[in-house]
Amino acid sequence: MIALLFAIALTAGPTDPSTWREASSVEFPPAMATTETKDEAEAEAPVLAGVAVTVECTARASGKVEACVVLGETHPGLGFGEAAVALVQDSRVDPGPRDVQFARTIQFTP
């Protein structure tokens, strides 16, 4: 397979030696300069080691969990609230005599 790729690359290039350029005439783009070190870039990234989301849901008498809403989250706007609701929504619990509201805190760990 590799031999086939090399053969295609060699035959696809210019065949007229007058169009070839010397290696010294090839210009490379300047290296991208950065003033930010790796430690500074990591310091600006959000630390997601302790992500927690608290959701409130209703457990119906039939055992179906629904009407979940996010009460609070440690990193809002990153999608963890929606993920927590998706985990709990439409789950099942043991049936009971009446509908019950409950709150749970879900911990997301890396």
Side-chain angles (χ1 to χ4, degrees):
M1 181 67 147
I2 293 175
L4 177 63
L5 291 175
F6 281 124
I8 292 171
L10 289 174
T11 58
T15 56
D16 182 13
S18 65
T19 61
W20 296 355
R21 293 189 298 181
E22 292 293 322
S24 61
S25 68
V26 177
E27 294 183 24
F28 294 98
M32 293 186 60
T34 179
T35 58
E36 188 176 272
T37 64
K38 183 179 178 184
D39 293 334
E40 290 172 348
E42 289 175 356
E44 293 177 8
V47 178
L48 299 178
V51 177
V53 178
T54 302
V55 295
E56 181 181 65
C57 302
T58 301
R60 300 290 177 201
S62 64
K64 183 177 180 181
V65 176
E66 56 187 27
C68 296
V69 294
V70 175
L71 292 180
E73 55 187 305
T74 58
H75 293 80
L78 295 179
F80 289 102
E82 292 85 4
V85 169
L87 285 171
V88 181
Q89 187 80 20
D90 297 328
S91 61
R92 308 278 307 166
V93 295
D94 291 334
R98 58 181 164 63
D99 293 350
V100 177
Q101 280 191 314
F102 66 94
R104 289 288 181 264
T105 300
I106 298 173
Q107 296 282 336
F108 291 90
T109 57

